[in-house]
Amino acid sequence: AGQYRGDPTVGEFANNTRWDVRVYVDAPTNDLRKAPQLSLSPNETAPANLDIGEHRVSAIAYVKTQYGERVVGSYEKVLNVHSRGQGWRVAFDEGSFR
């Protein structure tokens, strides 16, 4: 809103699953001990800002069980933020994770 209305670098991540999702941007996910840039609870949406250009978006989904958290699957995508765009959105659904 305001002076940045229509800013292509403004966007959001949406977790449309029943799982917790940890999101990593431009970072390796092969070390799960590293802190994610963003953690989303089930059905949560969070605003985020990414500069113009390509960004590697990775995410890991976790289900809570009586034995603790267990990995459901992972997500990997290259997001291209265009200077002529109107913003961006990455939505995770249960089919997004392998």
Side-chain angles (χ1 to χ4, degrees):
Q3 73 184 47
Y4 298 107
R5 186 178 180 148
D7 184 343
T9 65
V10 176
E12 69 180 9
F13 290 101
N15 178 6
N16 300 326
T17 75
R18 56 193 162 105
W19 308 313
D20 289 327
V21 174
R22 295 180 191 147
V23 181
Y24 303 82
V25 179
D26 297 327
T29 56
N30 56 356
D31 184 357
L32 298 180
R33 295 171 294 165
K34 291 187 179 186
Q37 280 94 351
L38 179 65
S39 292
L40 296 170
S41 298
N43 299 305
E44 181 179 14
T45 300
N49 301 310
L50 293 175
D51 202 358
I52 301 296
E54 283 190 358
H55 299 278
R56 183 171 155 249
V57 177
S58 304
I60 308 288
Y62 295 86
V63 63
K64 292 179 183 174
T65 75
Q66 63 182 331
Y67 301 107
E69 282 188 333
R70 299 294 185 252
V71 173
V72 174
S74 62
Y75 170 94
E76 193 82 31
K77 179 181 178 182
V78 174
L79 174 67
N80 197 344
V81 178
H82 296 278
S83 59
R84 295 182 184 198
Q86 293 295 313
W88 56 270
R89 185 171 199 268
V90 175
F92 304 107
D93 59 41
E94 294 187 4
S96 299
F97 296 91
R98 297 180 181 239

